[in-house]
Amino acid sequence: MAFEGFDLLRAEISDIGAVRPVGRVFEVNRGTIDVSGLSSRAALGDRAVIRCQSGREIGAEVLTLRRGAVTLLADGAIDGIAMGDQVELLGQTGIAPDDSWVGRIVDAFGQPLDGRPLMRGAVERSLRASPPAAAQRRRLGERVETGLSVFNTLLPLVRGQRIGLFAGSGVGKSSLLAKLARGVSADVVVIALVGERGRELREFVEKVLGPEGMARSVIVAATSDQSPLVRRRCAWAAMTVAEHFRDQGKHVLFLADSVTRFAEAHREVALAAGEPPSLRGFPPSTSHSIMSLAERAGPGLEGAGDITAIFSVLVAGSDMDEPVADILRGVLDGHVVLDRAIAERGRFPAIDLLRSVSRSLPDAATAEENRLIGAARRLLGAYANAEMMIQAGLYAHGSDAQIDKAIAVYPDLDQFIAREEEVDTGASFTRLAEILRL
């Protein structure tokens, strides 16, 4: 234990550089800062700090390089920056997670947000690491318990799976993520809160997630008032923390809320760097940024653990074909759609089962379980097709046996989707069979 403490202290000391290159501000544009004297030393993505004459220090990142100058994008407001201000180049800065981070809230730079001291880990990791080698990754693992009947049966979640949670604002997305954080059987939970409202962080930790969920979680947060650089870095930092625990052989549940805000932050940075907009205002590099983040999750190599990931997506007006939703849906192992109409009638989680799918099926279930899942979907589909006639009183009982059965089981089946007592997979399938009377 003493040796471990020395390793952590050594890591803290090694981060202190004796000499760092220094440049000077020579031009301030709309949101960017041009600096001389660093072009031969700087690299894209390097961190820097601008020391204003007023004494204020502003973090920044190298955005573009050209002969004789580099362009920086500041972390915060650029008010107060003057010609000739000193700019210190810090170089590439990763994050050094440690096992002691469990139960803590940190920012995108690995600094504590809960008012308590936090020790950095012994090894600094790159924020933009490559995913495990594709040909050497394990296949999806066994089904995991979630504590929610719908995910134990109709939309199974397996170890190493990556799913998307698609929802508009105010439909119960954050609450569902918190239930999964508390209920999914995993060793560690890593939660990325990207661009969340500042007032909601403490409420999410204390009320929504609760002490039970927080006890095994690491929260990486960047609030909506912070710069796009910090908001984008938040998702990368959280994934890096998840990889730290995965490489120890642990099963990690990674929750990102939300990928949409990550993509919006990337758009702001890319446009500032001069990249042209294309996909409804998103630059071409958006696809790669989203897919490279998603690919880092999933099954690990032999001997390592797995990252089971749930990425939330804000879909305006339930538009499942908007760029971020379309990109992410194509690269994930399933998607769950939350419907506002279901939420408005008071059923939570407001999952639209007919528009949701888990690509772990049929392998994640037995033949009998797949039969139950198929029967439930058929009955829900039959009810949905005839719902307008049923609600208007135009359907006559006995006209269609399938619709008659769908009407009979629909209330119980709808309630089953919302069931969130302490349930396991076996009990959930038993209850589903009773509802379907199969």
Side-chain angles (χ1 to χ4, degrees):
M1 188 68 182
F3 290 110
E4 182 182 354
F6 277 116
D7 288 340
L8 298 177
L9 182 60
R10 189 180 297 111
E12 292 280 359
I13 295 173
S14 65
D15 193 47
I16 303 173
V19 178
R20 286 194 173 117
V22 173
R24 297 285 176 179
V25 174
F26 76 87
E27 186 173 340
V28 180
N29 299 304
R30 289 174 293 182
T32 59
I33 304 102
D34 290 338
V35 179
S36 62
L38 296 177
S39 57
S40 62
R41 304 292 298 273
L44 285 177
D46 277 355
R47 294 289 301 169
V49 59
I50 304 169
R51 306 190 189 282
C52 301
Q53 297 172 17
S54 63
R56 181 184 174 208
E57 295 187 355
I58 305 172
E61 185 174 304
V62 175
L63 202 61
T64 63
L65 301 171
R66 63 183 188 274
R67 189 181 300 275
V70 300
T71 299
L72 306 180
L73 184 63
D75 286 346
I78 61 175
D79 298 352
I81 297 177
M83 300 290 285
D85 281 351
Q86 180 179 299
V87 179
E88 181 180 330
L89 189 67
L90 305 179
Q92 296 286 324
T93 58
I95 193 170
D98 186 69
D99 293 356
S100 63
W101 288 19
V102 177
R104 303 296 303 275
I105 309 171
V106 301
D107 66 12
F109 299 93
Q111 299 300 315
L113 291 176
D114 51 12
R116 294 180 287 151
L118 183 75
M119 187 70 76
R120 61 183 278 123
V123 178
E124 184 171 277
R125 305 175 70 106
S126 171
L127 285 178
R128 304 186 70 174
S130 299
Q136 300 174 32
R137 302 183 81 161
R138 297 193 310 277
R139 299 177 61 183
L140 294 177
E142 69 279 1
R143 189 164 55 194
V144 298
E145 299 288 348
T146 66
L148 296 169
S149 291
V150 65
F151 288 103
N152 282 350
T153 54
L154 303 169
L155 295 171
L157 184 67
V158 301
R159 182 165 171 152
Q161 188 175 358
R162 303 166 304 178
I163 67 171
L165 186 62
F166 299 81
S169 58
V171 187
K173 169 178 52 63
S174 296
S175 297
L176 179 55
L177 286 174
K179 290 172 185 175
L180 291 169
R182 294 193 302 266
V184 171
S185 55
D187 299 314
V188 181
V189 181
V190 178
I191 305 173
L193 299 179
V194 183
E196 285 290 331
R197 290 179 286 269
R199 68 167 184 81
E200 290 187 333
L201 176 57
R202 186 167 179 178
E203 181 181 356
F204 179 83
V205 171
E206 296 180 357
K207 184 178 178 181
V208 180
L209 188 59
E212 179 185 352
M214 193 62 202
R216 60 171 187 161
S217 301
V218 181
I219 295 180
V220 184
T223 53
S224 59
D225 62 305
Q226 294 182 282
S227 79
L229 287 172
V230 179
R231 284 181 274 127
R232 184 177 67 165
R233 182 185 173 99
C234 175
W236 291 336
M239 185 61 76
T240 304
V241 174
E243 290 168 338
H244 165 78
F245 291 105
R246 177 204 63 195
D247 291 347
Q248 297 178 11
K250 295 181 178 179
H251 178 208
V252 183
L253 175 65
F254 177 83
L255 305 175
D257 189 14
S258 69
V259 175
T260 302
R261 296 194 186 105
F262 166 77
E264 290 171 346
H266 175 78
R267 175 175 59 188
E268 293 182 52
V269 175
L271 293 178
E275 190 175 348
S278 56
L279 302 168
R280 298 193 195 178
F282 286 95
S285 61
T286 302
S287 296
H288 175 72
S289 295
I290 293 175
M291 290 188 287
S292 61
L293 178 69
E295 280 297 326
R296 291 170 64 180
L301 303 174
E302 292 296 336
D306 305 300
I307 300 175
T308 302
I310 301 175
F311 299 93
S312 76
V313 181
L314 286 167
V315 286
S318 300
D319 181 9
M320 290 291 290
D321 294 322
E322 62 91 22
V324 177
D326 193 46
I327 293 167
L328 197 59
R329 189 172 63 248
V331 77
L332 296 182
D333 307 312
H335 55 272
V336 177
V337 178
L338 301 187
D339 187 83
R340 188 173 302 278
I342 296 176
E344 287 174 347
R345 63 178 171 83
R347 195 256 276 164
F348 294 96
I351 296 173
D352 186 341
L353 188 69
L354 297 178
R355 297 170 64 199
S356 305
V357 65
S358 172
R359 293 181 182 171
S360 65
L361 289 174
D363 296 339
T366 65
E368 176 60 22
E369 290 168 348
N370 277 311
R371 189 172 72 89
L372 289 171
I373 293 169
R377 283 187 169 274
R378 285 191 296 273
L379 290 173
L380 285 172
Y383 187 89
N385 291 333
E387 185 173 15
M388 187 174 294
M389 290 192 301
I390 296 169
Q391 297 296 335
L394 300 176
Y395 176 76
H397 181 76
S399 301
D400 187 295
Q402 182 83 337
I403 296 177
D404 289 343
K405 184 167 186 179
I407 294 172
V409 303
Y410 182 79
D412 289 337
L413 197 54
D414 190 61
Q415 186 179 14
F416 174 82
I417 296 174
R419 187 168 176 247
E420 56 182 79
E421 295 88 2
E422 292 297 326
V423 293
D424 58 28
T425 298
S428 296
F429 271 110
T430 299
R431 175 59 183 153
L432 181 60
E434 291 172 354
I435 292 172
L436 299 177
R437 301 179 181 90
L438 294 178

